[in-house]
Amino acid sequence: MSTPTQTSGIATGKQQPQTTIEPAGGPFIRHSQPGRRQQYDVTGVQFGGTVTQPLVSVPGYVRGYRYTITASGGSGTSVAGKADAPFNCVSLVTVKDAFGNPLIVGPGYEMLYLLPKYSGQFGIGPMRDITSFQSYSAIAAATGNFQFSTYLPLEFVKAYGVISGANASLLPTITLNMAASGTVYSTVPTTLPTLEARCDADFYWLPEGVSVEPPGLGTTCQWVYQQANPTIAPSSTTTVQLPRLGGYLSEIILILRDSTGARVDAWPSQFRLLVDGVPLIDSSLNEVYDDMQNTYENTTRPTGVVAFSRKTSLNQQNQGLFDTGETFLSTNPGTLIEIQGAPWGTGGTGPYTLSCLVGQVVPSGTLIQGLPEL
């Protein structure tokens, strides 16, 4: 066997000057970089209490807030959590900008679990689901203790949707209303755990020496949680109207619950989503489920939840479920969005209530096109 000879690389010739030179300036993300700063770590919070800790300033523009909720110090025997636990340990999440405009408002399960999972603003692939994180601990049967990390997103396209965080006298606010223990546990611990809430801010640093701001500063993606009407009887042929929203919609997340508040898969076998009478989706329920798995990259679908997306990730650009050639579904306050079932399914205790969690982009001026994810 012959021994292979070793060769050396060949140096290239002297590089020639460019005929054109890139002008000074450029996009915001060229002059900034991501950072993270702790906001607070509050311990000893009781079930039924409230976390209203003020946020602290960051030297730039906030992309979103990371939260870790920990329950510790509990004890008991055969402790069990309810279906939405542990995320329903927060009964209401309220995020407002510095001027009091609501950005994220809704129950804990929807905002702390479904929002990062289906918003396209956090995680890639299976890691959209926060129960996949190594930091996640489900409710322990011997203690009732648990832990989960989650994300409240603001940025919906690269550097687009961020809010200012550098002015210490004019900052966003976040309120967490904690639920009663009976809401979280079906079998309550003998000794209730106490809760800890840690908050960090993800942000872009202020560019140094360059006067440039994020694109469309003042544009926000606001998350609205509302109930649709009317209620739905099992096996009925019912058309349900979503609230009149308006604006540019990025996601529609539907949650179906029975009269006891439990999530149920009583969806119609033929699923129709209509916009002003036009069936934007008219397909079998199995196809909707398959499309969800493809769009959200193999994450497990929770019982009673169906999600429709125009974009799937801040980093990946698979086609969304109701893609019509533009990034968002453009609506106005008169636009009628309906879910039609002929008939709806069965299960649980009727009547059913359909709620919607909707991502609504409110632009400052004209909606910017041509950004990396637009």
Side-chain angles (χ1 to χ4, degrees):
M1 179 183 296
S2 61
T3 302
T5 58
Q6 182 176 0
T7 60
S8 59
I10 300 174
T12 64
K14 183 178 180 181
Q15 299 300 303
Q16 299 301 307
Q18 297 284 343
T19 57
T20 59
I21 299 176
E22 187 174 4
F28 169 81
I29 57 175
R30 177 180 302 168
H31 303 284
S32 183
Q33 62 182 6
R36 181 173 299 160
R37 173 163 292 183
Q38 182 178 354
Q39 295 293 294
Y40 60 74
D41 191 353
V42 178
T43 60
V45 180
Q46 304 297 318
F47 285 95
T50 305
V51 178
T52 57
Q53 186 76 11
L55 302 176
V56 299
S57 63
V58 299
Y61 300 93
V62 181
R63 307 172 65 190
Y65 293 97
R66 288 180 176 267
Y67 267 92
T68 300
I69 306 294
T70 305
S72 60
S75 64
T77 305
S78 301
V79 178
K82 293 188 176 180
D84 293 349
F87 314 107
N88 64 348
C89 70
V90 180
S91 61
L92 181 64
V93 180
T94 306
V95 181
K96 296 182 179 181
D97 68 11
F99 303 99
N101 300 312
L103 303 179
I104 299 174
V105 181
Y109 177 81
E110 284 76 6
M111 296 305 180
L112 301 180
Y113 180 63
L114 295 183
L115 176 53
K117 184 180 178 72
Y118 290 120
S119 66
Q121 297 173 252
F122 181 67
I124 298 175
M127 301 314 295
R128 299 168 183 269
D129 190 329
I130 62 176
T131 62
S132 299
F133 294 159
Q134 66 176 12
S135 59
Y136 176 72
S137 298
I139 292 177
T143 61
N145 296 340
F146 60 82
Q147 178 176 279
F148 65 89
S149 297
T150 188
Y151 192 65
L152 297 174
L154 301 174
E155 179 187 33
F156 63 93
V157 173
K158 195 69 172 177
Y160 197 17
V162 299
I163 60 177
S164 176
N167 188 341
S169 63
L170 201 62
L171 291 172
T173 61
I174 302 178
T175 301
L176 303 180
N177 295 95
M178 313 309 291
S181 59
T183 300
V184 180
Y185 301 103
S186 55
T187 303
V188 179
T190 305
T191 302
L192 279 177
T194 57
L195 300 170
E196 174 185 359
R198 177 190 169 101
C199 177
D200 295 343
D202 284 348
F203 67 98
Y204 287 109
W205 286 85
L206 285 170
E208 184 176 355
V210 179
S211 179
V212 60
E213 63 184 25
L217 187 61
T219 297
T220 56
C221 182
Q222 302 174 9
W223 286 92
V224 180
Y225 178 82
Q226 294 192 25
Q227 182 176 319
N229 287 295
T231 56
I232 306 160
S235 302
S236 67
T237 298
T238 305
T239 299
V240 185
Q241 297 183 4
L242 272 60
R244 305 295 178 112
L245 297 166
Y248 299 93
L249 307 187
S250 64
E251 322 283 329
I252 297 177
I253 305 169
L254 303 175
I255 306 99
L256 188 64
R257 297 181 182 271
D258 71 4
S259 61
T260 69
R263 288 177 283 110
V264 291
D265 273 335
W267 301 105
S269 59
Q270 186 70 17
F271 200 103
R272 295 185 180 92
L273 187 151
L274 297 87
V275 178
D276 287 334
V278 178
L280 219 57
I281 296 174
D282 186 355
S283 63
S284 72
L285 182 60
N286 282 334
E287 289 173 342
V288 171
Y289 287 165
D290 290 346
D291 286 344
M292 281 184 66
Q293 189 173 18
N294 180 52
T295 300
Y296 299 106
E297 300 170 286
N298 205 34
T299 56
T300 302
R301 184 190 63 84
T303 298
V305 176
V306 169
F308 300 95
S309 173
R310 294 305 306 276
K311 68 182 185 63
T312 63
S313 172
L314 199 61
N315 304 303
Q316 298 185 5
Q317 294 305 300
N318 298 336
Q319 177 173 304
L321 295 189
F322 56 103
D323 198 322
T324 58
E326 296 183 1
T327 305
F328 303 108
L329 179 63
S330 179
T331 67
N332 59 62
T335 300
L336 177 62
I337 301 177
E338 300 171 295
I339 308 297
Q340 187 179 85
W344 289 79
T346 60
T349 305
Y352 309 130
T353 299
L354 183 66
S355 298
C356 60
L357 177 57
V358 178
Q360 178 176 304
V361 175
V362 181
S364 173
T366 305
L367 186 68
I368 298 177
Q369 300 291 319
L371 294 175
E373 291 85 11
L374 288 179

